[in-house]
Amino acid sequence: MFMKNSKLLSIILGLVLLILAACNNNESKTVAVSSEDVSAFPSKEITFVVPYSPGGGFDTSVRLIAPYMEKYLPNDGTIIVKNAPGGEGNVGLSEIERAKPDGHTIGLANLPGHYANQVMDTAKYDLLNMEYVGNITTLDYITTLSAKSKYKTIEDLQNADVVNAGVVSVSSTDGLGLMAFAEELGINLNIITHEGSSEALLAAVRGDVDIVQFPYTSSVDYIESGDLVPLVMHSKERATDYPDIPTVGELGYGDLLNVTMGNRTIIATPGTPNEILTLLREAFDKAVADPDYMKQAEEAGLEFNSSNWESAEKLSNDGYNAMMSFKDLMMQDK
Amino acid sequence: MLDMALSSLAEVFTFKSLLFIFLGALLGLIFGILPGLGGPQVLALLMPLTFTMDSGQAIMLLISAAAATTFGGSITSILINTPGTPTNAATTFDGYQLTKQGRPGYAIGAAAMASTLGGIFGAIILTMLLPFGKNLVMLFSYPEYFMMAIMGLAMIAIIDKEHMGKAIIAGLFGLMLAFVGLDPVTGIERYTFGSYYLWDGIQLVPMIIGLFAVSEAVALFSQKGTIDDSGGNVKNSYKDVFDGFKSIFQNFKLFLKSSLIGTVIGIIPGVGGSVANYVAYGQAVSTEKNPENFGKGDIRGVIAPESSNNAKDGGALLPTLTFGIPGSLEMAVLLGALTLHGIQPGPRMLLENGNIALLLIYALVIGTVASTLIGVIAASQLTKVTLVKTTYIAPLILVLAMIGAYASNLMLADVVVAVIFGIIGFFMVRHNYSRIALVIALVLGDLMQRSFHQTIDSVGVIGFFTRPISMGLFVITILVLILPFIRRKRGVNNVSS
Amino acid sequence: MSVVKLKKEEFIINVIMILISVLTLWMAFGYNEKARLLPIFVSIILLIASIYQAIKNIKIIRAGIEHEEKVESSSSLKNIIVVTLLLIGFVILLYFVKYYLASPIFVFAFLWLLAKEKLIPSLITSVSTGVGLFILFDLILKMNV
């Protein structure tokens, strides 16, 4: 018996030595990319990393566009979607950042939402370094009031002692956006967090909270049914179906847009060669212009307010700067 | 409405549709059996494949797969004391004992019939309630969620009467574990010790795998021999299974109670379906005759959880369809799939796409039936597992369990969690600290703290006491807790007089 | 195994729980008002319950009383330790090689070294495990594990 145990032990020791040896080789994944043969790209399947669980709005957006991008990639390129939720984006985004910069890993970022981690110094990634492929869509948010709330106008809100606000969390896009909005307008918020956007919207419908701020596409059904009352549109132009709602710019707070919007941006690993980025960007541009894609996106109720990589990059930087200006607000409880 | 019901029915009974339902059931069954994989995983896998399919058929495929996982999971719970999915944890108590007594077929038969009828029950209730869906879901607010969490947590005290104090300690430990991660209210890190992985807290699936699969494998290995203790006299499978079928009708009231519990829990958004099976088991223990037989191979201990965990699927569709709020994890993925196919659950959907809701319900029922049919046939072969030497079973369970833990998110950290809880589970079993109590507390801890703060922050402490439903739930909880003690006292009096 | 020896082991676990609850209590005070509320509450109850359980066990150990409690037959500590080591090895293996290679190695190590089964059946089981898993996950389920 003693013999068997020491045999076991030696095997385990051997493994440990193996690890120590291999450890050195395993860490750095940023190998210098020698001249990648551009004409062979993609030479294997491309992984599209989504830092969210399957089934949510972001995941759905990606799954919608991936097949269309596939269509416009050279060499019968294929894209597989990989969910990497966790750590408020840290898991997925750091995976994208540390992948081999050969164009076979791309991913989705929520901008400026994912900057929250960077502003609060809890990020394992840096979105300012990433390469930008394109913006699937810009989500316009809308501030709405519960139909059951006693507050009806912005003035009511400003005069109130405290207003119950429904958010997902204090660092989510809707949460930050609402807090920034309230800060600028001098509204006193009492933040109530929820598991997800659907739960927060439900709370507003029930009347448990007075005010919420979610994407127009998520809110419009409740506005139609009369459960939510629209207050302010966070977009450049008024909503076509509700032309009476003022935009945040018209109220004089246009700068807020950089913080209150949600962009679903496709990014690539830093250091990906320009020729390959061009192929990806072109595939993206063609995909979003594809009439079948647009039709499917419309039926799915997803916006297709896309923009190319240059504006995506600009939106990203503006978002970061805007968010940094609210750093104190975000760091309140930390 | 009636012609819509009939035309949807016609759409379901086409060859192609039935084929997809069958396929979904088969896949769901396989995923349910594999520890660590379940509804969310099979749906995530199928979602991209359904992209090019007709939406009606895609949906039937998906819902049938989701429904099938709960029965698949019960097979693993019964045969190797390892919950195939979190919703089957309570089935291990009596199901596994029956296997050891050489009657796995009996347990599987009961689970099969309970699952089928439970699923149908849930679907019927769902159909009746769908028109009122919105109002119903709106009745539940923060205090009600909190009371549901407390009701579930109270089950911990009943779940192991012999070792109640230890179960409570296990539950408290589970609650502490629920606090690990980012605080849902203020977003600060609690007990994460600098790890980003822990921001999301202790993951349920790896923990269950560790607590049950790993510790079970070790126990099996130490035990030598085979799982089956009755000396290889595994009773004739089909007759046993048939007896299992019959047992539901012999305990019909229990079945109804458990299915009702499952449906209601499914309807309440946020509670999460995995609670249904513990609460059903708990109420069975506290209200049925001869409660001391539970945990020793009492078939009622299989009927209660298995009826409720299928009934919950019907219930969970209610908030999913009316508000787009997933009533359970699988529903969340289903929602994404529906959106991809141009169906947006919510206020508008029932008006414009009402037939989709009916398709879903039909597919749910047929899928459940299909999965139990396939499952029962497969099970008769699977029960042979109990006759294999444990030294061979143990490493296989371990491998499947570890890979199950890894496969969900491809994070080795999940496997590490599984190993750690494997060690913890081993000691818990050794010293009679209920593992289920730990699981219940972890699952409900999040809901409890969130709804607690939500109530306090929005209306204040008074909120718990001023609403009829939440007070009603509170009273039920107290009753369920006290009832066993009262009955015991009465029992003593009867004996002495 | 003797009940007293078992209770001694449990006592150690109780002490660990006490230490853990003290730690969580202490750490909770470092959090903000809302975040600390429930952890403090639960830590205190856990502390009290663990102390109570520990005292109960001390009494049993001191008196050496024979209790009615049944003991899990032959789940010896040695087993859990060895299995844990093997599992750790498996996890490490998974980091470097694919699952259908790591699994047969693990199964083989378990069967031949720990369970001391015969060589040939061990090999056959291990290899078929690897093959079976590959068929299941890669071919049938098409999951990228």
Side-chain angles (χ1 to χ4, degrees):
Chain A
M1 183 178 105
F2 183 67
M3 290 287 283
K4 284 286 161 63
N5 273 347
S6 58
K7 211 190 274 189
L8 202 59
L9 228 51
S10 48
I11 290 191
I12 293 174
L13 271 171
L15 279 173
V16 171
L17 285 172
L18 243 184
I19 302 157
L20 288 175
C23 247
N24 299 330
N25 302 335
N26 230 320
E27 276 314 310
S28 53
K29 300 238 177 169
T30 51
V31 182
V33 176
S34 50
S35 49
E36 178 77 36
D37 195 358
V38 177
S39 59
F41 179 80
S43 51
K44 54 178 179 166
E45 54 183 19
I46 297 181
T47 308
F48 201 142
V49 179
V50 180
Y52 290 95
S53 305
F58 286 88
D59 179 64
T60 310
S61 285
V62 169
R63 289 180 189 273
L64 196 65
I65 199 172
Y68 291 97
M69 278 182 72
E70 254 183 13
K71 206 164 131 186
Y72 297 107
L73 280 172
N75 297 323
D76 282 332
T78 51
I79 301 181
I80 54 159
V81 175
K82 179 180 171 195
N83 296 92
E88 307 277 303
N90 269 313
V91 172
L93 292 175
S94 53
E95 183 175 333
I96 302 168
E97 194 169 33
R98 291 174 323 179
K100 201 162 165 220
D102 59 3
H104 290 98
T105 308
I106 56 178
L108 189 77
N110 169 20
L111 298 172
H114 278 137
Y115 274 121
N117 283 331
Q118 290 186 232
V119 169
M120 299 193 291
D121 258 326
T122 54
K124 262 202 311 186
Y125 53 84
D126 188 353
L127 286 166
L128 295 166
N129 278 342
M130 303 278 196
E131 305 289 358
Y132 290 81
V133 174
N135 200 14
I136 298 181
T137 187
T138 299
L139 282 173
D140 293 327
Y141 277 63
I142 182 170
T143 315
T144 57
L145 291 174
S146 164
K148 301 196 176 165
S149 167
K150 55 187 188 234
Y151 307 118
K152 306 290 177 201
T153 65
I154 296 185
E155 290 71 41
D156 289 343
L157 295 170
Q158 288 167 319
N159 292 333
D161 280 333
V162 105
V163 174
N164 281 342
V167 302
V168 172
S169 76
V170 293
S171 52
S172 61
T173 307
D174 65 283
L176 272 175
L178 185 56
M179 279 164 54
F181 174 74
E183 166 113 332
E184 291 287 294
L185 270 78
I187 303 175
N188 235 349
L189 289 183
N190 176 26
I191 302 275
I192 314 231
T193 57
H194 297 81
E195 262 199 44
S197 49
S198 320
E199 284 84 352
L201 280 167
L202 176 61
V205 170
R206 277 195 317 254
D208 283 330
V209 296
D210 297 301
I211 187 172
V212 287
Q213 186 169 304
F214 283 102
Y216 179 78
T217 44
S218 315
S219 320
V220 71
D221 282 350
Y222 298 110
I223 299 177
E224 252 180 54
S225 60
D227 292 307
L228 289 180
V229 178
L231 199 66
V232 180
M233 264 302 275
H234 293 264
S235 56
K236 297 241 175 66
E237 281 140 23
R238 294 196 173 197
T240 39
D241 288 332
Y242 293 96
D244 295 330
I245 316 171
T247 68
V248 66
E250 289 164 10
L251 292 176
Y253 302 99
D255 284 338
L256 273 178
L257 267 182
N258 285 318
V259 159
T260 58
M261 72 167 71
N263 294 309
R264 296 182 177 164
T265 311
I266 304 184
I267 54 177
T269 312
T272 309
N274 275 322
E275 303 84 14
I276 299 198
L277 281 176
T278 308
L279 288 173
L280 287 168
R281 288 164 178 165
E282 276 172 6
F284 170 76
D285 289 338
K286 292 190 193 136
V288 290
D290 186 313
D292 289 331
Y293 166 73
M294 296 204 283
K295 175 156 163 276
Q296 207 173 357
E298 187 171 359
E299 280 175 10
L302 297 173
E303 292 186 25
F304 46 100
N305 191 359
S306 64
S307 40
N308 71 2
W309 71 274
E310 276 160 329
S311 32
E313 195 166 24
K314 181 167 186 310
L315 275 172
S316 170
N317 289 326
D318 289 343
Y320 176 70
N321 292 327
M323 204 180 261
M324 279 302 275
S325 67
F326 286 102
K327 184 170 177 174
D328 293 328
L329 185 65
M330 288 162 65
M331 301 287 281
Q332 272 176 48
D333 286 316
K334 314 288 167 172
Chain B
M1 171 77 184
L2 189 60
D3 42 66
M4 194 160 63
L6 288 174
S7 66
S8 308
L9 202 58
E11 201 176 328
V12 167
F13 279 100
T14 65
F15 181 69
K16 220 169 165 206
S17 307
L18 288 175
L19 186 66
F20 280 122
I21 293 181
F22 183 82
L23 223 70
L26 186 63
L27 275 172
L29 205 60
I30 296 178
F31 270 78
I33 291 179
L34 294 172
L37 301 177
Q41 286 75 27
V42 69
L43 288 181
L45 178 72
L46 288 174
M47 198 161 56
L49 301 177
T50 63
F51 206 67
T52 48
M53 286 166 60
D54 161 67
S55 27
Q57 288 167 345
I59 286 158
M60 290 194 269
L61 174 71
L62 292 171
I63 196 81
S64 151
T69 56
T70 37
F71 179 57
S74 69
I75 297 180
T76 337
S77 299
I78 292 170
L79 289 180
I80 54 176
N81 203 24
T82 304
T85 72
T87 58
N88 300 104
T91 314
T92 58
F93 294 151
D94 284 281
Y96 186 58
Q97 293 304 315
L98 282 167
T99 300
K100 294 212 332 201
Q101 292 164 22
R103 308 198 64 192
Y106 184 46
I108 292 182
M113 187 55 79
S115 296
T116 310
L117 293 182
I120 293 178
F121 182 93
I124 294 177
I125 302 276
L126 171 68
T127 314
M128 293 190 328
L129 292 180
L130 212 47
F132 313 106
K134 185 170 166 189
N135 297 326
L136 204 65
V137 173
M138 295 235 294
L139 281 178
F140 293 91
S141 174
Y142 310 132
E144 281 75 29
Y145 296 152
F146 181 73
M147 284 306 167
M148 288 291 322
I150 295 294
M151 183 154 94
L153 285 171
M155 292 299 122
I156 290 176
I158 315 182
I159 222 101
D160 191 353
K161 296 253 220 35
E162 271 176 56
H163 308 279
M164 192 169 76
K166 297 194 194 187
I168 292 181
I169 290 185
L172 288 167
F173 181 55
L175 275 182
M176 285 312 308
L177 287 176
F179 295 134
V180 173
L182 291 184
D183 162 41
V185 182
T186 56
I188 64 166
E189 295 173 53
R190 289 190 300 194
Y191 306 119
T192 55
F193 302 102
S195 152
Y196 284 101
Y197 170 73
L198 286 179
W199 275 21
D200 302 300
I202 308 279
Q203 296 301 301
L204 179 65
V205 168
M207 184 178 93
I208 287 188
I209 288 181
L211 282 180
F212 292 91
V214 175
S215 58
E216 186 55 33
V218 174
L220 275 179
F221 170 68
S222 317
Q223 169 190 322
K224 310 286 179 204
T226 64
I227 293 179
D228 176 86
D229 273 349
S230 67
N233 284 339
V234 180
K235 292 212 183 133
N236 173 291
S237 296
Y238 286 112
K239 175 176 185 307
D240 232 13
V241 170
F242 196 66
D243 283 340
F245 287 163
K246 284 197 291 185
S247 68
I248 306 296
F249 301 101
Q250 290 158 349
N251 292 288
F252 205 64
K253 230 175 77 175
L254 173 66
F255 159 74
L256 284 177
K257 270 193 296 180
S258 311
S259 301
L260 189 63
I261 289 177
T263 314
V264 170
I265 291 184
I267 292 178
I268 305 175
V271 178
S274 50
V275 184
N277 68 119
Y278 315 131
V279 175
Y281 189 85
Q283 69 81 27
V285 167
S286 107
T287 54
E288 289 282 307
K289 294 205 224 325
N290 301 323
E292 60 284 349
N293 287 336
F294 280 97
K296 303 204 176 95
D298 190 328
I299 200 65
R300 294 173 302 171
V302 173
I303 296 177
E306 286 301 314
S307 329
S308 70
N309 66 25
N310 278 77
K312 78 144 190 355
D313 285 331
L317 273 176
L318 193 67
T320 307
L321 295 178
T322 49
F323 279 102
I325 297 186
S328 64
L329 282 173
E330 299 91 346
M331 292 298 154
V333 190
L334 186 70
L335 275 175
L338 285 175
T339 313
L340 267 179
H341 285 273
I343 298 158
Q344 306 167 56
R348 244 196 299 193
M349 186 200 112
L350 295 172
L351 295 169
E352 292 176 8
N353 286 320
N355 62 316
I356 296 285
L358 288 168
L359 273 180
L360 270 169
I361 298 176
Y362 293 138
L364 177 65
V365 171
I366 301 181
T368 310
V369 173
S371 69
T372 45
L373 277 174
I374 305 173
V376 164
I377 298 174
S380 59
Q381 296 310 308
L382 289 173
T383 51
K384 303 241 169 71
V385 153
T386 60
L387 296 173
V388 177
K389 261 177 96 172
T390 53
T391 47
Y392 280 91
I393 298 269
L396 290 176
I397 293 180
L398 285 172
V399 163
L400 275 178
M402 294 293 115
I403 296 195
Y406 183 57
S408 303
N409 284 318
L410 295 179
M411 286 205 277
L412 270 185
D414 284 340
V415 188
V416 172
V417 168
V419 173
I420 293 178
F421 277 95
I423 304 172
I424 295 180
F426 172 80
F427 284 105
M428 286 179 83
V429 170
R430 196 167 153 79
H431 296 286
N432 289 308
Y433 284 79
S434 164
R435 292 168 295 173
I436 284 289
L438 183 62
V439 173
I440 294 177
L442 183 76
V443 170
L444 289 176
D446 204 48
L447 176 68
M448 181 203 71
Q449 53 172 330
R450 207 185 265 280
S451 55
F452 177 76
H453 285 288
Q454 281 169 336
T455 309
I456 302 272
D457 288 342
S458 61
V459 288
V461 179
I462 201 79
F464 293 118
F465 304 109
T466 51
R467 293 170 58 99
I469 299 188
S470 84
M471 284 319 291
L473 287 171
F474 184 62
V475 167
I476 295 178
T477 306
I478 302 284
L479 279 177
V480 166
L481 280 176
I482 307 183
L483 214 55
F485 294 106
I486 298 183
R487 291 168 73 204
R488 239 196 287 173
K489 281 232 175 99
R490 287 244 191 95
V492 171
N493 286 341
N494 282 341
V495 168
S496 59
S497 62
Chain C
M1 91 180 319
S2 109
V3 174
V4 172
K5 189 149 176 251
L6 197 66
K7 291 298 173 186
K8 279 190 189 163
E9 203 182 284
E10 194 190 324
F11 180 70
I12 297 179
I13 294 178
N14 292 139
V15 170
I16 294 178
M17 285 309 313
I18 292 176
L19 291 174
I20 289 181
S21 46
V22 168
L23 177 68
T24 58
L25 188 61
W26 181 68
M27 285 180 75
F29 279 107
Y31 304 140
N32 67 65
E33 230 178 62
K34 285 188 186 164
R36 68 160 72 140
L37 182 63
L38 290 174
I40 290 181
F41 182 66
V42 174
S43 297
I44 293 180
I45 304 184
L46 182 58
L47 183 62
I48 296 176
S50 306
I51 293 179
Y52 172 74
Q53 194 67 27
I55 293 179
K56 237 172 97 169
N57 284 327
I58 289 186
K59 285 199 184 146
I60 297 179
I61 296 171
R62 286 258 174 86
I65 300 174
E66 283 301 304
H67 247 239
E68 294 299 316
E69 297 197 43
K70 298 213 83 185
V71 174
E72 264 291 302
S73 53
S74 62
S75 300
S76 69
L77 277 182
K78 168 170 155 281
N79 280 335
I80 187 74
I81 293 176
V82 177
V83 171
T84 305
L85 285 174
L86 279 174
L87 281 174
I88 294 177
F90 184 44
V91 173
I92 295 172
L93 261 180
L94 268 182
Y95 184 63
F96 294 103
V97 301
K98 292 222 81 168
Y99 69 96
Y100 46 76
L101 290 177
S103 309
I105 297 179
F106 172 76
V107 173
F108 182 70
F110 194 102
L111 285 176
W112 193 54
L113 295 173
L114 178 60
K116 290 164 226 155
E117 295 288 331
K118 301 215 178 79
L119 183 64
I120 305 287
S122 305
L123 276 173
I124 297 179
T125 314
S126 324
V127 173
S128 28
T129 305
V131 172
L133 285 175
F134 178 72
I135 295 178
L136 182 64
F137 284 100
D138 261 50
L139 298 181
I140 298 183
L141 297 181
K142 292 220 174 53
M143 291 180 72
N144 287 319
V145 181

